[in-house]
């Protein structure tokens, strides 16, 4: 707010006065005075405790307004003389923004609009609006006067509070905005700077909408760790495998190996569970389960690829479990000798009916689904207990089925393996899918009351309980059931020597073992042969059938819920196009009903196939790929050593997580090698797609952290390595000004530095007023984004300085990090040097001298039409286009600077201003460089500007067959030759041949040509021709000399025509003037530049680019205007010419 601002101009937005309620305070009836010139935008009142004897409802004396000082602290405020007892009782006061219009406060008893809970205030048209000035409500707690009492004096500085660190529209509470640094630090006559959010604190629009939906907690069902995680994980892990495959695994592998198999699977799942716990406790977890955990840890590339296949795997898993249920029901029906159609169609009919019922339960809401899960868990637990009770009850009729109760002989016999057509790993691959339910709780992370506590507790406890039960079943079945049994109706063979014996040792079952070369037993019962043997052992066999039903239905139900939840999170992040429609949530729980329907149809399709033996291994591998990436996420985050990696769950180890990731990959190939390969191909394909699409998200992933870590580590390592000629790279400081102001300069330098060397776009912002560093920082972010969006591999560095030379000196000295430091200064040629202030010429030439003093090479690019296009103004309405509009100066005083103060400054569109430059694709852009908005009228350009615009695009296009002419007249270390070599290695320049021109004597032309050819071949640089200029020292044409003399005439000192003292004074005031003495002294050198221009026109008038040795001028001996005249004469009326002078250190070598 400026000192002279009228009340009507004082609102933060500056375009409308705030509503009357905006100036209200808690002290109803008080009329705050209008802001004085010294006030900040905050109206802060002192909180005073009233005397104990104050009468309630007593008159209140208005509190006088006190202005704040420059530091943001309040100057001596007045104190309420008589405050009400109610007000004195509390320590919280609501203080709002000053009402500049002096609006009346509402009467007593009417709560002010915007007052929420006594210590916060909701205000409109806030400076902190994240929507760029749109009206929205948010809370300002830094106006809370409770803070003022904390330190005994008035301040708008806020004390630490959790709400300052929330994300926008956080579900657990409102995000509060702390005072910006500008509001506390800036002068009072300046409008506070709009800092906005920093460090990726803001959400994407999709995340914000999801958070807003989640923030309405009225009636939302949230689960604790038992109902939400433990129950789901136990149901999913136990599954149907417990009842119909565990006994077969014990028969094949024996008790010891079965325990090893269970232990191996439990190790993998435990490590994954620990890793999941670490990620889940490293910050607030939203909905999306495995996808959310991986994407926020490793970034959208891995998260997007895993999220899609994980959601698909869960959808197909619904079909697997439903078909397992349907097959059990069909077998039960067929045991009564009946069926509906045939076995396959019966499975389809029952499967379809089942999945429709499950869909109805899911759509009814998470609460109904959770109740169903609890009911199924009770049945499942009852079935397990029923089995263990039955194992202690020996029944004579069950001995024919192989059950003898706990018997030491059976246990010893079953201790070792008896593989029949299987191996250890094939048996392991059959068991492991039973352990892939550990993410069932994490998948509904958005429906958990406290995911950070629920996921670790529930997941790890579920792994422990289910692992113990699996081990118990393995040991129990191995100790009381024989591997083979003949079944009822078969006479049992008594062993020799035993009479009236009832133990297992009394019976001879050797004939049940398959003969040599056979895998199938002639007997139909026992561990090897009867998949339903647990029903035989159980105290009440129908309960085992109910347990199988419960296991299959609960797993199907969990998958039916998980798939839409994960897919919804994926849709909202907009990683893949065209799927956002499925992400819409409905109802108080934000249920993804469309996702449920999609999951239903996917499951239905696979149920109708009714043949899942081929797809089952792929699904297991999809789950394992997710586990592997979760483990790798923890390792990666720990390796990156980011300060943001601070999980509250401490019981993890990065190397154990890496081992877990490796184990998951090994298990993938053990289960099915071709399915593992297919999974990897799918994941990598999706990864490549997402990487190519580059979604506009910033989640602070460990990939980002590790990139920084590696960059820092390698930069420090480079510092310890001395320079070597073989590793030389041109690292250019390019004085582009605004990067889009001189596209030809940017594109040409980018062509030979891309993927080779460093490129820094230097921008000297000339300001004689007080520096505006905030605007400088804004430009830094904006232009760096512009470079990235245009595929320009460069950095942007602006500086504030009083003139171009001073700013360039700052850049030459300070730009770079260790060895990543520029070694070459690149300038645009100063086309208008004769028309502007000649002191600018002095500064321009001196900055070249500065570069040489600092051991930089120097390069100057000249185009006949010029380089600077910033004066070509766009006519677009730039209101509200903060991110895409940049202010570009129209002053063309120097092609090395684009920001001199000028009254002609115009706005040029930033993002679309320059056509994207894909350096390596070989495609020439056809669109114009400047593209107007469709709504904007087309502005015709004059002929000169049209030519300038076309010339500025010439290096974006693929160069046709032509030449790059290298005039290597002086040995500068080889930079003059290296740059064209690097250029012609690029696709856009690969059709251009290098022609080399050197100076020589007429009688040694052949010798000089052979010597240069030998040198170039040793350097391994291809060339098409070498021309020796034997007539380089020939006197130039008289008309060319006359033109040069005429050009320098206005800049001569002509000291012979004036007094010595007057001449010295004039030279001191105007150091750029050319003295008669130097003109005579350097006459030969002047004639050489004139002659070289004639030769250039003769030999290189059709070249695509001329690269020529830059003439040097001795500092202090040659005036700037004479040097400028040399450069002008040398490069006039030619194709694009690059004047190059290295720092005379070798940049080429022919040694290995």
């Amino acid at each position: 707010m400026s000192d002279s601002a009228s009340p009507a101009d004082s609102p933060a937005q500056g375009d409308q006065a705030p509503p009357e309620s905006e100036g209200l305070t808690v002290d109803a009836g008080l009329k705050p005075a209008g802001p004085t010139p010294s006030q900040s935008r905050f109206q802060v009142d002192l909180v005073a405790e009233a005397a104990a004897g104050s009468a309630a409802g007593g008159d209140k004396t208005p509190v006088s307004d006190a202005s704040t000082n420059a530091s943001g602290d309040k100057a001596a405020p007045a104190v309420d003389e008589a405050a009400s007892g109610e007000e004195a009782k509390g320590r919280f006061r609501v203080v709002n923004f000053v009402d500049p219009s002096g609006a009346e406060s509402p009467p007593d008893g009417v709560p002010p609009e915007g007052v929420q809970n006594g210590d916060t205030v909701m205000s409109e048209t806030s400076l902190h609006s994240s929507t760029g000035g749109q009206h929205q409500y948010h809370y300002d707690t830094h106006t809370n006067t409770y803070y003022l009492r904390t330190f005994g004096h008035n301040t708008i500085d806020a004390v630490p509070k959790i709400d300052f660190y929330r994300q926008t529209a956080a579900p657990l509470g409102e995000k509060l905005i702390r005072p910006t640094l500008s509001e506390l630090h800036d002068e009072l006559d300046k409008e506070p700077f709009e800092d906005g959010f920093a460090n990726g604190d803001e959400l994407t629009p999709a995340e914000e909408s999801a958070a807003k939906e989640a923030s309405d907690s009225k009636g939302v069902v949230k689960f604790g760790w038992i109902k939400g995680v433990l129950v789901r994980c136990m149901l999913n892990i136990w599954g149907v495998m417990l009842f119909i495959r565990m006994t077969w695994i014990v028969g094949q592998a024996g008790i010891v190996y079965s325990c090893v198999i269970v232990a191996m699977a439990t190790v993998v799942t435990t490590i994954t569970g620990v890793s999941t716990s670490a990620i889940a406790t490293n910050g607030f977890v939203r909905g999306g389960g495995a996808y959310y955990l991986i994407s926020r840890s490793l970034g959208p590339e891995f998260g997007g690829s895993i999220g899609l296949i994980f959601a698909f795997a869960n959808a197909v898993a619904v079909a697997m479990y439903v078909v397992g249920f349907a097959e059990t029901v069909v077998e039960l029906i067929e045991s009564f000798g009946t069926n509906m159609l045939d076995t396959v169609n019966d499975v389809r009919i029952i499967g379809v009916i089942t999945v429709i019922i499950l869909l109805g339960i899911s759509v009814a809401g998470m609460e109904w689904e959770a109740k169903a899960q609890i009911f199924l868990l009770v049945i499942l637990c009852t079935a397990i207990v029923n089995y263990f009770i039955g194992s202690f009850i020996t029944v004579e009729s069950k001995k024919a089925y192989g059950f003898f109760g706990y018997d030491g002989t059976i246990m010893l016999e079953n201790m070792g393996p008896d593989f029949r057509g299987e191996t250890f790993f094939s048996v392991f691959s059959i068991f492991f899918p039973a352990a892939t339910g550990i993410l069932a709780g994490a998948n509904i992370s958005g429906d958990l009351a406290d995911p950070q506590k629920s996921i670790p507790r529930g997941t790890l406890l579920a792994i422990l309980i289910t692992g113990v039960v699996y081990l118990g079943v393995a040991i129990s079945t191995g100790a009381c059931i024989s591997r083979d049994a003949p079944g009822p109706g078969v006479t049992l063979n008594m062993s020799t020597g035993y009479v009236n014996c009832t133990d297992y040792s009394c019976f001879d079952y050797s004939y049940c073992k398959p003969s040599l070369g056979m895998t199938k037993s002639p007997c139909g019962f026992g561990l090897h042969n009867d998949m339903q043997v647990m029903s035989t052992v159980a105290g009440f066999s129908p309960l085992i059938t109910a347990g199988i039903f419960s296991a299959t239905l609960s797993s199907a139900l969990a998958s039916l819920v998980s798939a839409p939840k994960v897919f919804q999170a994926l849709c909202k992040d907009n990683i893949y196009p065209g799927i956002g429609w499925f992400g819409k949530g409905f109802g108080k729980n934000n249920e993804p009903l469309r996702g449920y329907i999609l999951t239903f149809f996917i499951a239905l399709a696979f149920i109708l196939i009714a043949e899942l033996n081929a797809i089952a291994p792929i699904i297991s591998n999809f789950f394992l790929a997710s586990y592997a990436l979760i483990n790798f996420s923890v390792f990666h985050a720990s390796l990156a050593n980011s300060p943001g990696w601070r999980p509250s769950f401490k019981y993890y180890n990065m190397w154990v997580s890496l081992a877990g990731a490796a184990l998951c990959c090994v298990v993938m190939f053990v289960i099915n090698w071709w399915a593992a390969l297919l999974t990897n191909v799918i994941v990598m394909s999706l990864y490549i797609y997402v990487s190519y699409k580059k979604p506009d998200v910033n989640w602070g992933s460990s990939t980002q952290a590790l990139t920084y870590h590696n960059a820092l580590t390698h930069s420090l390592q480079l510092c310890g390595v001395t320079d070597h000629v073989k590793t030389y790279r041109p690292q250019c400081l390019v004085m582009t000004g605004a990067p889009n102001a001189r596209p030809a300069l940017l594109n040409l330098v980018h062509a030979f530095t891309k993927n080779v060397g460093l490129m820094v776009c230097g921008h000297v912002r000339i300001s004689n007023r007080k520096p505006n560093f905030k605007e400088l920082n804004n430009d830094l972010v904006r232009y760096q984004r512009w470079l990235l969006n245009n595929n320009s591999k460069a950095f942007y560095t602006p500086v504030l300085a009083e003139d171009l030379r001073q700013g360039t000196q700052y850049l030459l000295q300070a730009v770079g990090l260790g060895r990543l430091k520029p070694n070459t200064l690149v300038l645009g040629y100063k086309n208008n040097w004769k028309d502007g202030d000649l002191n600018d010429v002095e500064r321009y030439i001196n900055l070249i001298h500065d570069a040489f003093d600092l051991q930089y090479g120097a390069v100057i690019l000249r185009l006949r039409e010029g380089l600077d296009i910033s004066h070509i103004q766009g006519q677009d309405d730039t209101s509200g286009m903060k991110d895409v509009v940049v202010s570009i100066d129209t002053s063309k005083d120097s092609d090395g600077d684009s920001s001199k103060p000028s009254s002609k400054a115009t706005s040029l569109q930033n993002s679309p201003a320059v056509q994207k430059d894909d350096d390596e694709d070989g495609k020439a852009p056809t669109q114009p460089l400047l593209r107007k908005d469709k709504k904007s009228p087309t502005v015709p350009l004059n002929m000169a500007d049209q030519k300038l615009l076309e010339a500025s695009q010439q290096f974006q296009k693929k160069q046709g067959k032509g030449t790059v002419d290298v005039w290597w007249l002086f040995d500068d270390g080889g930079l003059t030759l290296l740059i064209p070599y690097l250029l012609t290695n690029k696709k856009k320049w690969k059709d251009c041949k290098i022609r080399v021109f050197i100076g020589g004597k007429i009688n040694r032309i052949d010798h000089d040509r052979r010597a240069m050819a030998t040198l170039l071949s040793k350097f391994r640089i291809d060339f098409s021709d070498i021309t020796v200029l034997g007539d380089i020292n020939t006197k130039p044409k008289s008309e060319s000399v006359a033109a040069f003399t005429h050009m320098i005439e206005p800049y001569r000192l002509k000291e012979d025509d004036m007094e010595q003292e007057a001449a010295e004074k004039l030279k001191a005031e105007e150091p750029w003037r050319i003295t008669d003495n130097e003109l005579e002294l350097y006459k030969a050198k002047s004639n050489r530049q004139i002659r070289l221009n004639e030769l250039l026109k003769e030999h290189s008038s059709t070249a695509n680019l001329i690269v020529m040795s830059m003439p040097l001028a001795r500092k202090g001996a040659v005036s700037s205007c004479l040097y400028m005249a040399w450069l002008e004469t040398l490069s006039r009326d030619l194709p694009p010419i690059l004047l190059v002078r290295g720092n005379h250190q070798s940049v080429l070598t022919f040694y290995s």
Side-chain angles (χ1 to χ4, degrees):
M1 187 184 303
S2 65
D3 288 344
S4 60
S6 65
D9 295 329
S10 59
Q13 297 295 331
D15 56 354
Q16 68 176 41
E20 287 188 355
S21 61
E22 193 169 326
L24 301 180
T25 66
V26 165
D27 295 325
L30 299 184
K31 179 178 178 180
T36 63
S38 62
Q39 280 184 316
S40 73
R41 72 186 184 93
F42 293 102
Q43 174 64 37
V44 185
D45 294 336
L46 177 68
V47 174
E49 296 198 19
S54 296
D59 294 336
K60 298 176 183 177
T61 303
V63 181
S64 62
D65 293 326
S67 61
T68 55
N69 56 30
S71 67
D73 293 337
K74 194 100 179 277
V79 181
D80 287 347
E81 294 180 0
S84 67
E86 183 66 28
E87 185 178 345
K89 188 187 301 181
R91 300 189 62 186
F92 290 87
R93 286 277 302 281
V94 177
V95 182
N96 206 344
F97 294 125
V98 177
D99 183 2
S101 63
E104 294 276 352
S105 299
D108 285 336
V110 180
E113 181 185 350
V115 174
Q116 296 298 311
N117 51 18
D119 69 337
T120 59
V121 64
M122 194 150 54
S123 58
E124 195 181 6
T125 63
S126 168
L127 279 174
H128 305 288
S129 171
S130 61
T131 55
Q134 296 176 4
H135 296 285
Q136 66 171 20
Y137 289 98
H138 71 90
Y139 294 92
D140 285 311
T141 53
H142 48 276
T143 58
N144 183 351
T145 55
Y146 170 69
Y147 300 146
L148 311 189
R149 296 182 55 83
T150 305
F151 301 106
H153 69 282
N154 282 356
T155 176
I156 61 171
D157 225 344
V159 297
K161 188 170 183 179
I162 187 174
D163 296 322
F164 292 138
Y165 296 90
R166 297 192 192 280
Q167 290 183 320
T168 313
L172 298 182
E174 295 291 343
K175 176 177 176 63
L176 306 181
I177 309 297
R178 69 177 63 83
T180 66
L181 185 61
S182 301
E183 288 164 352
L184 297 173
H185 175 262
D186 278 3
E187 297 171 356
L188 292 177
D189 61 345
K190 293 182 67 175
E191 184 175 343
F193 175 60
E194 189 168 338
D195 284 336
F197 299 109
N199 301 326
D201 208 22
E202 73 276 16
L203 300 179
T204 61
E207 287 179 319
E208 187 163 349
S209 63
K212 285 179 179 177
E213 290 170 354
S215 64
D216 183 13
S217 59
K218 185 177 179 181
V220 173
V221 178
K222 295 289 184 181
F223 303 116
W225 70 275
I226 295 177
K227 189 186 290 188
V229 182
L230 180 66
V231 169
R232 294 172 185 280
C233 288
M234 287 171 62
L235 285 169
N236 248 27
I237 294 172
W238 274 330
V240 72
M241 194 70 66
L242 180 65
F243 297 104
I244 63 175
R245 282 292 184 272
M246 197 65 220
T247 53
W248 176 84
I249 289 170
V250 174
Q252 290 279 352
I255 296 173
V256 175
Y257 279 2
S258 295
C259 291
V260 171
I261 287 171
V262 173
M264 285 175 59
T266 305
V267 165
V268 173
T269 55
T270 301
I271 294 174
T272 306
V274 168
S275 298
T276 304
S277 301
I279 298 175
T281 59
N282 190 50
F284 180 72
V285 177
R286 299 183 186 277
Y291 161 72
Y292 186 89
L293 298 177
I294 294 172
S295 63
R296 268 50 175 185
S297 297
L298 289 178
E301 294 84 7
F302 277 117
S305 54
I306 282 297
L308 198 61
I309 66 170
F310 190 75
F312 177 76
N314 273 289
V316 179
V318 176
M320 287 179 58
Y321 294 126
V322 167
V323 167
F325 168 78
E327 286 178 350
T328 307
V329 174
V330 169
E331 287 177 8
L332 195 61
I333 293 173
E334 289 179 346
S335 66
F336 293 101
T338 183
N339 57 17
M340 289 179 283
L341 296 173
D342 55 66
T343 302
V344 173
N345 285 316
D346 286 358
V347 167
R348 288 172 177 163
I349 293 169
I350 294 171
V352 170
I353 295 171
T354 304
V355 78
I356 290 174
I357 295 171
L358 293 178
L359 178 66
I361 295 173
S362 301
V363 171
M366 290 296 294
E367 193 170 6
W368 281 95
E369 189 265 350
K371 290 177 180 177
Q373 293 280 26
I374 294 287
F375 174 72
L376 293 173
L377 179 65
V378 170
I379 295 175
L380 191 57
C381 290
T382 305
I384 294 171
V385 172
N386 175 50
Y387 160 75
F388 280 107
I389 292 174
S391 67
F392 289 97
I393 303 172
T394 305
V395 180
E396 190 68 28
S397 62
K398 294 182 180 179
K399 292 181 179 179
Y401 296 94
F403 173 60
F404 289 85
Y406 291 100
D407 190 299
T409 307
I410 295 178
M411 188 171 184
L412 287 174
E413 186 177 296
N414 290 342
M415 197 65 73
D418 181 23
F419 293 115
R420 300 180 184 177
E422 302 288 345
T423 64
F424 175 82
F425 287 109
S426 68
V427 173
F428 174 77
S429 68
I430 290 171
F431 171 76
F432 189 83
T436 58
I438 61 171
L439 292 182
N443 286 339
I444 62 161
S445 54
D447 296 295
L448 300 176
D450 188 356
Q452 289 182 289
K453 290 182 179 179
S454 299
I455 291 175
R457 285 182 186 175
T459 303
L460 295 177
L461 187 58
I463 292 171
L464 176 64
I465 294 173
T466 54
V468 169
V469 170
Y470 272 124
L471 286 173
V473 170
I475 295 171
S476 173
T477 53
C480 64
I481 307 173
S482 64
R483 279 194 165 102
D484 298 288
V490 179
T491 304
L492 302 179
N493 293 334
M494 300 292 293
S495 299
T496 307
Y498 290 93
V499 181
N500 298 325
C501 182
T502 58
D503 292 337
Y504 174 72
S505 57
C506 305
F507 299 93
D508 181 14
Y509 287 165
S510 58
Y511 70 94
C512 283
K513 291 187 176 181
S515 56
L516 190 66
M518 302 294 289
T519 59
K520 190 168 180 63
S521 168
C523 299
F525 296 91
L527 294 175
H528 264 302
N529 311 304
D530 185 9
M531 299 295 180
Q532 303 283 348
V533 70
M534 284 184 71
S535 299
T536 304
V537 176
F540 183 62
S541 59
L543 271 179
I544 297 297
T545 303
I548 294 172
F549 290 171
S550 171
T552 51
L553 292 178
S554 64
S555 298
L557 194 55
S559 297
L560 186 57
V561 170
S562 296
K565 295 284 185 181
V566 173
F567 194 61
Q568 182 184 35
L570 186 66
C571 293
K572 287 187 176 294
D573 283 336
N574 198 27
I575 300 294
Y576 300 102
I579 64 173
W581 186 80
F582 293 101
K584 182 175 174 56
F586 296 89
K588 60 185 180 182
N589 266 27
N590 193 32
E591 295 290 348
L593 297 184
R594 295 169 180 172
Y596 281 124
I597 301 301
L598 178 64
T599 304
F600 167 75
F601 281 110
I602 293 173
L604 194 63
F606 283 95
I607 288 170
L608 294 177
I609 293 173
E611 179 55 57
L612 297 174
N613 289 340
I615 200 71
I618 299 178
I619 294 172
S620 296
N621 276 282
F622 282 177
F623 286 127
L624 277 166
S626 304
Y627 299 169
L629 281 180
I630 287 175
N631 285 311
F632 184 72
S633 297
V634 172
F635 168 76
H636 199 267
S638 302
L639 184 66
N641 200 25
S642 170
W645 174 247
R646 303 184 304 275
S648 57
F649 182 87
K650 303 295 183 184
Y651 307 103
Y652 71 94
N653 180 276
M654 61 182 290
W655 300 109
V656 172
S657 295
L658 181 62
L663 276 173
C664 289
C665 293
V666 169
V667 172
M668 286 173 67
F669 283 92
V670 166
I671 290 177
N672 192 301
W673 67 267
W674 63 263
L677 285 177
L678 181 61
T679 302
N680 286 324
V681 168
I682 293 173
V683 171
M684 291 310 298
S685 299
L686 293 172
Y687 178 91
I688 292 169
Y689 169 79
V690 178
S691 299
Y692 175 78
K693 187 188 175 189
K694 294 180 181 175
D696 186 19
V697 294
N698 181 10
W699 293 327
S701 65
S702 61
T703 304
Q704 191 177 350
L706 190 62
T707 301
Y708 173 85
H709 181 271
N710 290 337
L712 183 61
T713 303
H714 294 151
S715 297
L716 290 170
Q717 288 175 351
L718 275 175
C719 290
V721 181
T722 56
D723 290 325
H724 193 281
V725 62
K726 288 196 295 184
T727 59
Y728 174 86
R729 296 168 183 268
Q731 303 191 116
C732 298
L733 172 60
V734 191
M735 303 304 294
T736 57
N740 55 2
R742 293 167 180 78
L745 184 63
L746 180 78
N747 294 330
L748 182 63
V749 179
H750 184 256
F752 65 80
T753 58
K754 182 179 181 182
N755 299 327
V756 174
L758 175 70
M759 178 178 173
V760 179
C761 295
H763 186 180
V764 179
R765 295 180 61 88
I766 299 173
S767 175
N768 295 320
R769 299 174 298 167
K770 194 168 184 178
N772 188 341
F773 293 110
K774 291 162 188 173
E775 185 178 344
L776 195 74
N777 288 335
N778 277 345
D779 282 351
L780 177 61
V781 173
R782 185 179 300 130
Y783 283 125
Q784 188 62 60
R785 187 188 305 143
W786 184 90
L787 287 168
L788 292 173
N789 291 341
N790 285 273
N791 294 329
S792 297
K793 297 188 177 181
F795 300 94
Y796 170 73
T797 304
V799 292
L800 285 170
E802 294 182 1
D803 58 53
L804 177 63
R805 184 186 181 189
Q806 184 188 65
T808 307
Q809 286 175 338
Y810 293 161
L811 291 170
L812 289 169
Q813 294 175 78
V815 166
L817 184 68
R819 290 282 304 281
L820 295 175
K821 179 178 175 63
N823 52 29
T824 305
L825 176 67
V826 183
L827 300 168
Y829 181 74
K830 192 170 180 60
N831 271 335
N832 62 341
W833 69 275
K834 290 179 284 188
D835 304 326
D837 184 359
L838 290 172
N839 286 319
D840 289 339
V841 177
E842 179 75 12
R843 286 187 281 267
Y844 180 78
I845 296 301
N846 280 334
L847 67 85
I848 299 175
H849 291 313
D850 294 337
F852 291 138
D853 288 342
L854 289 166
Q855 292 298 298
Y856 276 67
V859 176
I860 297 176
L861 173 65
R862 181 175 188 182
L863 300 187
R864 194 177 310 178
E865 299 81 2
L867 292 169
D868 190 0
I869 66 167
S870 61
H871 65 288
I872 302 176
Q873 60 181 357
Q875 299 297 321
D876 299 26
D877 178 12
T878 59
S879 61
M881 297 175 60
K882 189 177 296 182
D883 278 345
V884 297
V885 174
V886 296
S887 179
I888 295 180
D889 182 60
T890 56
S891 171
K892 293 186 66 179
D893 288 343
S894 167
D895 274 308
D897 168 56
S898 70
S899 59
K900 284 199 170 189
S902 170
S903 61
K904 301 178 182 178
T906 59
S907 293
L908 186 67
Q909 282 194 11
N910 178 21
S911 294
V914 176
Q915 182 68 28
K916 278 192 176 182
D917 174 24
D918 188 357
D919 189 64
E920 294 299 322
D921 62 2
K923 297 178 183 178
T926 56
Q927 293 88 345
L929 189 69
L930 292 175
R931 293 178 295 181
K932 300 293 187 295
D933 192 278
K934 291 180 180 180
K935 299 178 182 178
S936 303
T938 303
V939 180
L941 298 176
N942 59 42
M943 187 61 68
D945 283 346
Q946 185 63 41
K947 288 182 178 180
L948 172 61
L949 204 55
E950 291 173 0
S952 67
Q953 300 176 67
Q954 61 182 308
F955 298 131
Q956 294 179 358
K957 304 172 183 176
K958 181 175 173 61
Q959 305 296 310
K961 290 186 177 180
T963 63
V964 175
D965 289 356
V966 182
W967 290 65
W968 197 15
L969 304 179
F970 307 103
D971 194 336
D972 59 351
L975 186 63
T976 309
L977 189 61
L978 180 62
I979 288 176
Y981 166 75
L982 294 174
L983 265 179
T984 53
N985 271 349
K986 302 295 173 134
K987 286 187 176 181
K988 287 183 180 179
W989 291 84
K990 67 177 182 179
D991 292 334
C992 294
K993 305 297 182 183
I994 294 179
R995 296 193 304 178
V996 179
F997 295 82
I998 59 173
K1001 295 181 180 179
I1002 295 179
N1003 57 352
R1004 292 176 50 118
I1005 288 179
D1006 290 337
H1007 176 271
D1008 290 343
R1009 183 184 289 113
R1010 285 195 298 272
M1012 180 53 65
T1014 301
L1015 181 60
L1016 292 176
S1017 64
K1018 286 182 178 292
F1019 284 151
R1020 303 171 302 282
I1021 293 177
D1022 294 330
F1023 60 92
S1024 63
D1025 187 30
I1026 296 176
T1027 302
V1028 180
L1029 303 169
D1031 53 350
I1032 195 170
N1033 290 319
T1034 305
K1035 190 175 180 179
K1037 297 175 183 178
S1038 56
E1039 56 268 27
S1040 300
V1041 176
F1044 177 80
T1045 304
H1046 178 72
M1047 178 178 62
I1048 64 173
E1049 183 65 26
Y1051 315 114
R1052 292 181 59 184
L1053 180 61
K1054 298 182 180 178
E1055 67 271 24
D1056 294 340
D1057 299 338
M1058 62 178 72
E1059 295 290 335
Q1060 182 178 353
E1061 185 177 345
E1064 290 175 354
K1065 182 180 179 182
L1066 183 60
K1067 180 65 175 176
E1069 292 174 352
E1070 299 177 351
W1072 43 266
R1073 287 199 175 272
I1074 305 170
T1075 65
D1076 295 338
N1077 184 44
E1078 70 172 313
L1079 196 58
E1080 184 62 31
L1081 185 62
Y1082 294 104
K1083 183 177 180 180
K1085 195 165 186 177
S1086 299
N1087 287 338
R1088 186 187 303 138
Q1089 313 311 320
I1090 300 169
R1091 177 59 183 156
L1092 282 173
N1093 182 259
E1094 293 174 352
L1095 291 171
L1096 283 164
K1097 290 177 180 176
E1098 178 183 344
H1099 293 283
S1100 299
S1101 59
T1102 60
N1104 294 58
L1105 179 68
I1106 301 170
V1107 182
M1108 187 172 194
S1109 296
M1110 182 195 302
L1112 277 183
R1114 190 172 296 279
K1115 186 170 61 173
V1118 179
S1119 62
S1120 56
C1121 276
L1122 180 58
Y1123 189 28
M1124 202 72 211
W1126 288 350
L1127 299 179
E1128 173 72 24
T1129 301
L1130 179 66
S1131 59
R1132 185 169 49 196
D1133 299 330
L1134 290 170
I1137 182 169
L1138 208 59
L1139 301 175
V1140 180
R1141 175 67 69 157
N1143 64 359
H1144 287 247
Q1145 299 292 322
S1146 294
V1147 301
L1148 295 171
T1149 182
F1150 45 78
Y1151 294 106
S1152 60

